Amino acid sequence: MLQEFFKRYVRLKGLSERTVGHYVTGINSINVILEKYNFPIRNIFEAKTVSDLESIKMFLLSNAEFQEKNRIGHNMYSVSFRHFCEFVCGDYEFFNHNIQQMDIVAEKPTIMTITTTAYHRNQIIVDQSLEGAGYCCEHDAEHKTFIAQSTNHAYMEGHHLIPMKYQDAFNCSIDVYANIVCLCPICHKLLHYGQAKDKKYVAEELYEKRHERLINSGIDLSKRDFLHLVI
Ligand SMILES: [Zn+2]
Ligand SMILES: [Zn+2]
């Protein structure tokens, strides 16, 4: 998937067509090794995240066959991989100035089936919780969004104060009204992706508002333990 973009990138960096070919060959040779050793990611060009590349890098560092091949090939493979890693995550300058030149017609992506395991969560309970909150952000009722097509009310999102991934630690359900807060999308994303100090400020306040209701729902978690889980 990333192969054509990578080739374009290398060309735009002013490197010769021969070098472009070398890099692609180098990476495909690493792919052969990944396949041979049953590494979970078989194709570097199909990497989805930066951490995919980091795990490949760690594997290559510890793989004797790769090290030997690379030595004989005068580092051609590690150099190709390094350039690919730079393309993926180390060249902000390039993308800042040249992203429009990366517009090429790319091949249609393949379809894949993703199987995940997660606790059931009930959308009805989430919807009722939004209704119960009057479609107001429970961090700050002044927060404005837009009118949602499906409810005809302000668009809000349900957030599990104690995330469902911690369900294992509880003997009763945490997919309950007391654990679901109604938040505007910005406050919601803040709790998932914000910096610790900002998250703590909002999470602590919501916990205090819900503490008693959580206990009534059989969920007894001290503020300290709660913050430890979510920050
Ligand atoms: Zn959430
Ligand atoms: Zn908000």
Side-chain angles (χ1 to χ4, degrees):
M1 176 199 149
L2 289 172
Q3 184 168 331
E4 289 308 312
F5 289 129
F6 177 60
K7 280 159 85 174
R8 176 73 157 201
Y9 166 81
V10 178
R11 283 182 194 120
L12 286 169
K13 294 289 273 190
L15 295 164
S16 69
E17 222 30 57
R18 203 163 150 254
T19 310
V20 175
H22 275 317
Y23 288 171
V24 172
T25 309
I27 290 171
N28 280 326
S29 304
I30 300 176
N31 288 339
V32 172
I33 293 181
L34 295 174
E35 175 99 42
K36 182 173 168 189
Y37 286 85
N38 269 328
F39 196 74
I41 305 145
R42 305 290 174 87
N43 185 346
I44 291 168
F45 293 120
E46 299 289 327
K48 302 283 185 297
T49 63
V50 172
S51 64
D52 282 354
L53 291 178
E54 275 159 10
S55 63
I56 292 171
K57 188 175 165 189
M58 296 311 288
F59 167 77
L60 294 175
L61 283 171
S62 63
N63 183 279
E65 185 177 336
F66 171 75
Q67 294 296 336
E68 179 60 11
K69 202 174 160 126
N70 194 38
R71 195 185 59 77
I72 296 166
H74 304 287
N75 295 332
M76 169 187 160
Y77 307 103
S78 58
V79 167
S80 308
F81 184 64
R82 185 163 53 76
H83 279 277
F84 185 74
C85 291
E86 261 169 35
F87 155 69
V88 168
C89 59
D91 208 343
Y92 300 113
E93 185 68 20
F94 172 86
F95 281 96
N96 224 298
H97 293 102
N98 303 287
I99 198 147
Q100 287 167 4
Q101 293 187 68
M102 292 296 286
D103 293 342
I104 54 170
V105 179
E107 222 177 280
K108 197 169 171 174
T110 50
I111 290 178
M112 63 174 194
T113 312
I114 302 167
T115 316
T116 53
T117 314
Y119 276 105
H120 278 290
R121 50 191 81 199
N122 194 318
Q123 189 57 39
I124 292 175
I125 292 181
V126 172
D127 293 345
Q128 290 167 326
S129 299
L130 303 188
E131 232 170 76
Y135 300 93
C136 289
C137 175
E138 290 187 59
H139 170 58
D140 184 340
E142 295 293 303
H143 288 174
K144 294 271 174 285
T145 63
F146 55 88
I147 301 300
Q149 173 78 27
S150 59
T151 61
N152 227 6
H153 289 283
Y155 175 79
M156 290 288 156
E157 295 175 349
H159 168 72
H160 287 82
L161 264 187
I162 304 164
M164 286 303 289
K165 64 180 173 185
Y166 298 119
Q167 176 63 73
D168 267 349
F170 298 87
N171 290 324
C172 57
S173 174
I174 59 169
D175 192 26
V176 292
Y177 302 109
N179 193 37
I180 298 169
V181 286
C182 170
L183 294 173
C184 76
I186 298 290
C187 290
H188 190 197
K189 295 298 180 229
L190 166 77
L191 286 180
H192 285 277
Y193 306 110
Q195 295 192 322
K197 63 173 173 27
D198 300 327
K199 266 161 86 168
K200 184 169 181 275
Y201 176 72
V202 178
E204 199 167 10
E205 179 213 72
L206 292 170
Y207 170 87
E208 277 161 8
K209 280 187 191 161
R210 290 302 177 93
H211 182 58
E212 217 176 293
R213 287 183 56 194
L214 285 169
I215 288 180
N216 291 339
S217 305
I219 304 162
D220 193 359
L221 188 65
S222 72
K223 184 156 90 179
R224 196 170 155 268
D225 289 344
F226 168 71
L227 291 174
H228 187 74
L229 280 188
V230 300
I231 303 298

